[in-house]
Amino acid sequence: MDTFSSSSKREIAACAARLVVEEGLEYGPAKRRALRELGLPARTALPNNDELEAEVRDYIRLYCADTQPQELHALRVLALEWMEHMAAFRPHIGGAVWHGTATRLSDIYIQLFCDDPKSAEIALIDHHVDYEPRMVTGFHGEQVEALSLHARSQELGEEVGVHLMVYDLDDLRGALKPDSQGRAPRGNLAALRRLLEKDNSPS
């Protein structure tokens, strides 16, 4: 990789990280907007998600170290509530809430693995939950139905976007393969409870 390409990638990643943390953008839109804000050509090579995540962690450490841990904890508590509500559908938490880079602007992404794709939707209807069906990008880059809703976080004192992504039960095995950094890409109820216990334990 030439020097210009690597330096522009770092510049894009740093700019995108600020947009992720300060404005709650997802990684894809943040990278594309960073490209525009920096006035770089549309075909400029973009940083990958691991490179962007590293910059997000640096940004949080530099600018949000006093607030982000509490905000992350609040989102994990809310995610646990919804995973318990939807326990029949083998819920798994992924994204920034799972990996520890979420702030109060982050949405919660929970993957459900269902025998019948309509069963999760029926459960929400039975419990009079207002939701909006939409299509989002899944963990293989494919389009997946999500049941999107707003839930109040008591700790944050505000509404948070919660997206229940509906997968087929057969997708569960592939969902647990380690990611490019060798980490578990998502966790089940027990794994999230362990994270919360760790959050609460004295350092």
Side-chain angles (χ1 to χ4, degrees), residues 60-156:
I60 287 170
R61 191 164 55 247
L62 284 170
Y63 301 109
C64 312
D66 53 341
T67 56
Q68 191 266 348
Q70 293 81 7
E71 293 173 3
L72 172 63
H73 181 266
L75 292 172
R76 285 176 169 172
V77 167
L78 185 60
L80 183 68
E81 286 175 25
W82 277 94
M83 289 172 74
E84 287 172 343
H85 290 325
M86 307 302 283
F89 307 106
R90 305 164 191 85
H92 284 67
I93 182 75
V97 175
W98 170 246
H99 288 306
T101 56
T103 69
R104 68 190 306 122
L105 297 177
S106 303
D107 284 0
I108 294 169
Y109 290 87
I110 296 170
Q111 287 97 35
L112 307 177
F113 296 90
C114 308
D115 296 300
D116 172 0
K118 286 291 169 193
S119 55
E121 196 165 354
I122 291 165
L124 293 182
I125 292 167
D126 287 347
H127 287 88
H128 309 290
V129 175
D130 286 330
Y131 69 91
E132 181 183 339
R134 54 196 289 249
M135 299 305 287
V136 299
T137 303
F139 51 75
H140 296 306
E142 77 285 34
Q143 289 293 292
V144 175
E145 184 176 29
L147 311 173
S148 296
L149 54 101
H150 285 91
R152 185 162 182 81
S153 164
Q154 295 300 332
E155 288 184 43
L156 294 176

Side-chain angles (χ1 to χ4, degrees), residues 22 32 37 43-44 82 105 118 135 141 145 150 167 181:
E22 299 292 346
R32 290 190 292 274
E37 286 194 5
R43 297 181 65 169
T44 304
W82 277 94
L105 297 177
K118 286 291 169 193
M135 299 305 287
E145 184 176 29
H150 285 91
Y167 286 91
Q181 298 182 48

